[in-house]
Amino acid sequence: MSSKVIHAIYTDDDLLMQAVKQTREARYRIEEVYTPFPVHGLDKAMGLPHTRLAVTAFLYGLVGLSVSIAMMNFIMIDDWPQNIGGKPSFSFLENLPSFVPIMFELTVFFAAHLMVITFYLRSKIWPFKEAENPDPRTTDDHFLMEVDVANHNVEEMADFFANTGAVEIKLINK
Amino acid sequence: MYTLSSKLKLSAIILMVVGAIGLIYAFASAPSTIEEVKEIIASHEAHGEHQATANAHATHDDAHADKHAEHVLHQLQNKPWSATYVAAFFFFMIALGALAFYAIQYAAQAGWSPVLFRVMEAVTAYLLPGSLIVFAILMLSGMHLNHMFIWMDPEVVKNDPIIQGKEAYLNVPFFLIRAAIYIIGWNVFRHFLRKNSLRQDEATDNRFYKKNFKLSAAFLVFFIVTESMMSWDWIMSLDPHWYSTLFGWYLFASLFVTAITVIALITIYLKSKGYLPEVNNSHIHDLAKFMFGISIFWTYLWFSQFLLIWYSNIPEEVTYFITRIEDYNLPFFGMLIFNFIFPLLVLINSDYKRVNWFVVMTGVVILVGHYLDIFNMIMPATVGKSWFIGVPEISAMLFFAGLFLLIVFNALTKAPLIAKRNPFIKESKHFHY
């Protein structure tokens, strides 16, 4: 099955924001927007849901904290409680202050790295991934909005995007 | 223009009256002779509260019991004084921290905060009365009306070579001169910052803004030196055998976070009454971020000081924490929940930082936590084991809270709540995050 999309290309991020708002008002479905840099407020204009990456980072941090506590409790207290320089190794709580730097670092380590890996997985980025860029100019100075044609009239849509200030409008068979 | 509501004024005056009555009672009921203290100790032993000490006392000779009673007498006599000092210092440091925050906003040319400048200025209005009250307490201590600063007692110094070695710095005249220099300096800076801010409203160019920018930068240099020395003089010298190098920073973190919290609380209050239409939830969000960040900064310094001393366990340093862990276990570790864990868990969420009642709730917890922090700095040195958060402590807090509210909200009525011609005011009104 082949579906058709329209690529509307803009050269100004303010125009793009305007166009996104108008397109949504006209009830056309925006598939994707390609920009060379983050456009402030674009996600809101497109109506994208909030990211939950921060929540995952918090949970990963808790995992890191648990790992560090379990590790040091086992090594320093349970397995071989040696007297090292007179530090009290009778219970975890008694020797807690000396464990805190490691607990802190592992919390940050887990939170940061696992969140980054989550980001890579969710956005499907990896070293030998083939670039999905429809037009190389969108990495430099052009903005591209991809809109699903579905069962709308192509002529009508082309007129509509021309009115929003697009410098180029292309019909693409996907 | 803000008008002071009669309800607020009345509540502040009631707080002051109740606090003053409590303080008079506290000073009047402090024991004045060793005999009274012995009776108090005996009645405690009769209740069976001090079984172990009672048995221990039985083996002591009378001379030792006298010495113990004298020691407790000094502690109990210090109690109302220390309670007053803790509360006076707590509210004074809010005003000083607000001035530091205000100067930082100027020096950093912050675009978000100018709509809050008048609130910050009003909080710093307490600086003059607050610092004078603290100075009065220090002067009365220097006149030997209490035993809070033991290095001021010639009898103690005579038998103490460690304090003798510090006498070049720790002597009453120099101590009071230093205090006067800090207080005059801070108040002069505060006076001109406020004056220029008001003049800028009427000006036709940005001359007074530029003046304030330079003045703020100069104040921040002066502040960080004097604040550090103030922490050695007014707090650390209560334990004249002990020293810590990051103490000044630690106290700074405490006063900074309480000041930001009070600014946030007053802003939310005024906004809820409709006086600050330009303040939106992004401003509250920014203040809450500061509360969150500086709370963690405070914890970092608290822990750094604690860990380094606990880890090396050098006898002359570690006694400071041993007395606090043994005699003040609950307030010492309890304040970590108020000052660290609670703000950490509540204010980590970006959405909660925009919800007024979350910020107010956390703010109240932070204020209680930092009262406990100052309590833990001062009380172990002055009253030792005889501490209790009772009538003297609560009345002192009520009295100074009333005074603080009265002065701060009175200062709010003196000028329009939005600075008119600040170059960043427009950006600040449209600030959103």
Side-chain angles (χ1 to χ4, degrees), chain B residues 238-258:
Chain B
L238 290 161
D239 291 281
H241 284 196
W242 182 78
Y243 53 86
S244 162
T245 41
L246 64 66
F247 197 77
W249 275 110
Y250 171 56
L251 189 69
F252 166 74
S254 207
L255 68 87
F256 204 47
V257 71
T258 40

Side-chain angles (χ1 to χ4, degrees), chain A residues 58 87 94-95 97-98 100-101, chain B residues 303 306-307 310-311 345 348 432:
Chain A
F58 184 76
K87 285 278 159 293
E94 267 182 277
N95 211 356
S98 51
V100 167
Chain B
F303 183 69
F306 178 71
L307 174 70
W310 174 88
Y311 202 94
L345 293 179
I348 200 167
H432 82 107

Side-chain angles (χ1 to χ4, degrees), chain B residues 34 38 57-69:
Chain B
I34 292 186
K38 279 184 179 161
H57 283 170
T59 58
H60 288 330
D61 51 359
D62 280 350
H64 194 96
D66 274 357
K67 226 172 168 190
H68 173 68

Side-chain angles (χ1 to χ4, degrees), chain B residues 49-221:
Chain B
E49 283 175 21
H50 284 267
Q51 280 300 344
T53 43
N55 292 339
H57 283 170
T59 58
H60 288 330
D61 51 359
D62 280 350
H64 194 96
D66 274 357
K67 226 172 168 190
H68 173 68
E70 197 191 331
H71 188 60
V72 174
L73 171 70
H74 285 164
Q75 292 183 341
L76 292 179
Q77 283 176 338
N78 269 343
K79 222 167 132 350
W81 281 98
S82 310
T84 315
Y85 188 48
V86 170
F89 186 85
F90 179 76
F91 284 100
F92 148 77
M93 81 175 188
I94 292 174
L96 184 62
L99 188 59
F101 190 69
Y102 179 66
I104 288 172
Q105 300 305 313
Y106 257 111
Q109 307 191 344
W112 67 278
S113 51
V115 292
L116 305 173
F117 274 1
R118 286 291 142 78
V119 177
M120 297 182 202
E121 285 166 15
V123 176
T124 62
Y126 183 75
L127 186 63
L128 183 64
S131 53
L132 289 181
I133 290 169
V134 171
F135 188 73
I137 296 175
L138 297 177
M139 215 154 66
L140 294 176
S141 304
M143 290 156 70
H144 308 295
L145 286 173
N146 59 57
H147 302 90
M148 284 201 295
F149 296 87
I150 54 161
W151 57 265
M152 287 177 175
D153 188 345
E155 289 297 308
V156 173
V157 178
K158 213 161 60 187
N159 303 314
D160 194 328
I162 295 177
I163 300 181
Q164 281 165 21
K166 299 183 179 185
E167 257 186 311
Y169 188 78
L170 287 184
N171 59 73
V172 175
F174 188 32
F175 176 81
L176 290 179
I177 291 169
R178 281 197 308 270
I181 291 172
Y182 314 149
I183 288 171
I184 292 169
W186 298 329
N187 281 300
V188 166
F189 273 111
R190 191 267 162 191
H191 175 78
F192 284 109
L193 281 167
R194 163 80 167 178
K195 200 172 171 189
N196 286 338
S197 169
L198 292 182
R199 278 169 162 181
Q200 176 68 25
D201 273 8
E202 313 299 330
T204 49
D205 55 8
N206 288 335
R207 200 150 45 99
F208 296 110
Y209 173 78
K210 286 179 188 163
K211 265 190 184 168
N212 256 7
F213 175 78
K214 288 178 193 156
L215 212 55
S216 300
F219 169 73
L220 288 172
V221 175

